[in-house]
């Protein structure tokens, strides 16, 4: 699948408020065509030279503007995730301390009700963080591809120096989000264990498939699969390629089970 179509598909599958935060790939591609179709500077008329200069300036302006857009959105989401992670931990502690077996007001029903709400929120939170990782990956890939087009069609050497700067940008630095994802998964494992027998029953009943078609969970699964495809090793790997995604099929299958109902004991 060509990158432009893949990007369009990913925008359609992301959260509604994120749609205008992705790379303006179509607009950048159009500017590259304008620049590459302009006559050589020595043979260009005055008007053609002006048109070429404007297209070149517009391309660089949009390119830098996209980086600012990515960084602003990514940092805002990171800050939001830090707060939400802290709030979820506090909710768990509060539920255990109040309605848990050794709580101040033990209540099995209230405890199960609250923990099921928390679990759903944690799964959604996990999914949103995975989507942000995908946001970083696909926008980086788009930048690398549009810069490759620029160098190929204009004879320029913009890709290498520009990508070296991109690697230092906040939107590409995903260590914090990765850490929060792992902490979220540890919380799910520790607080919401799933019995093997119940998991098998749910798989036989097709629970995972039905849930995977709904809302943020469906979008997250699509993002995970696309990330695996984008980051798998290939014969065309280069210094501009994303590293292979360390997410075996077993881990993907495990994630597909996270949103199925569980028994809170």
């Amino acid at each position: 699948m060509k990158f432009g179509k893949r990007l369009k598909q990913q925008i359609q599958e992301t959260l509604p408020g994120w749609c205008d935060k992705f790379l303006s790939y179509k607009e950048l591609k159009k500017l590259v065509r304008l620049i590459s179709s302009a006559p050589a500077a020595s043979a260009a008329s005055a008007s053609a030279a002006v048109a070429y200069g404007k297209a070149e300036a517009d391309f660089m302006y949009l390119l830098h503007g996209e980086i600012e857009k990515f960084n602003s959105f990514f940092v805002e989401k990171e800050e939001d995730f830090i707060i939400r992670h802290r709030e979820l931990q506090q909710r768990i502690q509060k539920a255990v301390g109040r309605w848990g077996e050794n709580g101040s007001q033990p209540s099995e029903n209230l405890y199960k009700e609250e923990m099921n709400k928390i679990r759903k929120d944690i799964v959604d939170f996990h999914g949103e963080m995975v989507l942000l990782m995908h946001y970083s990956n696909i926008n980086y890939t788009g930048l690398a591809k549009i810069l490759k087009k620029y160098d190929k069609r204009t004879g320029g050497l913009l890709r290498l120096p520009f990508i070296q700067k991109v690697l230092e940008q906040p939107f590409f630095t995903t260590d914090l989000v990765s850490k929060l994802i792992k902490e979220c998964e540890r919380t799910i494992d520790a607080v919401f264990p799933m019995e093997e027998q119940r998991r098998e029953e749910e798989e036989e009943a097709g629970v995972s498939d039905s849930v995977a078609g709904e809302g943020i969970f469906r979008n997250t699964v699509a993002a995970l699969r696309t990330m695996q495809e984008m980051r798998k090793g290939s014969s065309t790997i280069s210094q501009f390629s994303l590293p292979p995604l360390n997410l075996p099929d077993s881990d993907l299958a495990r994630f597909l089970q996270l949103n199925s109902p569980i028994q809170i004991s």
Side-chain angles (χ1 to χ4, degrees), residues 14 34 63 118 133 138 182 214 221 265:
T14 194
L34 285 174
L63 199 60
I118 293 172
M133 291 283 288
I138 200 164
K182 288 182 172 62
E214 299 174 2
V221 172
S265 57

Side-chain angles (χ1 to χ4, degrees), residues 93-133:
Q93 293 172 6
K94 182 178 179 181
V96 172
R98 176 176 296 179
W99 297 304
E101 185 177 351
N102 299 315
S104 59
Q105 304 172 37
S107 172
E108 183 178 359
N109 290 335
L110 290 175
Y111 179 71
K112 285 183 178 181
E113 182 181 347
E114 179 62 15
M115 292 301 275
N116 278 322
K117 290 179 182 177
I118 293 172
R119 185 184 188 285
K120 181 183 181 302
D121 289 343
I122 289 179
V123 172
D124 286 347
F125 178 48
H126 179 279
E128 199 170 330
M129 289 191 291
V130 171
L131 289 177
L132 189 67
M133 291 283 288

Side-chain angles (χ1 to χ4, degrees), residues 12-14 211-223 225:
Q12 291 173 342
E13 291 179 345
T14 194
V211 175
E214 299 174 2
I216 188 173
F217 188 69
R218 176 198 60 205
N219 300 339
T220 307
V221 172
R225 288 174 175 155

Side-chain angles (χ1 to χ4, degrees), residues 111-259:
Y111 179 71
K112 285 183 178 181
E113 182 181 347
E114 179 62 15
M115 292 301 275
N116 278 322
K117 290 179 182 177
I118 293 172
R119 185 184 188 285
K120 181 183 181 302
D121 289 343
I122 289 179
V123 172
D124 286 347
F125 178 48
H126 179 279
E128 199 170 330
M129 289 191 291
V130 171
L131 289 177
L132 189 67
M133 291 283 288
H134 180 54
Y135 172 85
S136 172
N137 290 345
I138 200 164
N139 284 308
Y140 167 82
T141 301
L143 285 171
K145 287 185 177 294
I146 201 66
L147 290 167
K148 181 180 180 180
K149 285 183 183 295
Y150 176 90
D151 284 1
K152 182 178 179 180
R153 295 195 177 190
T154 67
L157 296 172
L158 181 60
R159 181 165 63 150
L160 181 58
F162 199 91
I163 288 297
Q164 287 175 336
K165 293 180 180 179
V166 168
L167 298 180
E168 301 172 357
Q169 298 301 312
F171 87 91
F172 189 78
T173 309
T174 58
D175 292 349
L176 175 59
V177 178
S178 297
K179 180 182 177 182
L180 288 174
I181 288 174
K182 288 182 172 62
E183 289 182 5
C184 193
E185 290 170 352
R186 283 195 292 268
T187 298
I188 291 173
D189 287 339
V191 183
F192 306 103
M194 179 182 288
E195 298 177 4
E196 186 67 26
Q197 180 177 353
R198 184 174 180 82
R199 182 189 300 132
E200 292 175 357
E201 291 173 353
E202 288 166 352
E203 289 175 352
E204 291 175 1
V207 172
S208 295
D209 290 340
S210 64
V211 175
E214 299 174 2
I216 188 173
F217 188 69
R218 176 198 60 205
N219 300 339
T220 307
V221 172
L224 275 168
R225 288 174 175 155
T226 303
M227 277 196 286
Q228 284 184 300
E229 180 183 347
M230 290 169 57
R231 298 177 69 138
K232 66 184 178 182
S234 71
S235 58
T236 58
I237 194 167
S238 71
Q239 69 266 41
F240 304 106
S241 302
L242 289 162
L245 184 64
N246 185 22
L247 187 66
D249 290 342
S250 58
D251 287 346
L252 177 58
R254 175 181 174 279
F255 177 78
L256 292 175
Q257 295 165 351
L258 289 180
N259 206 32

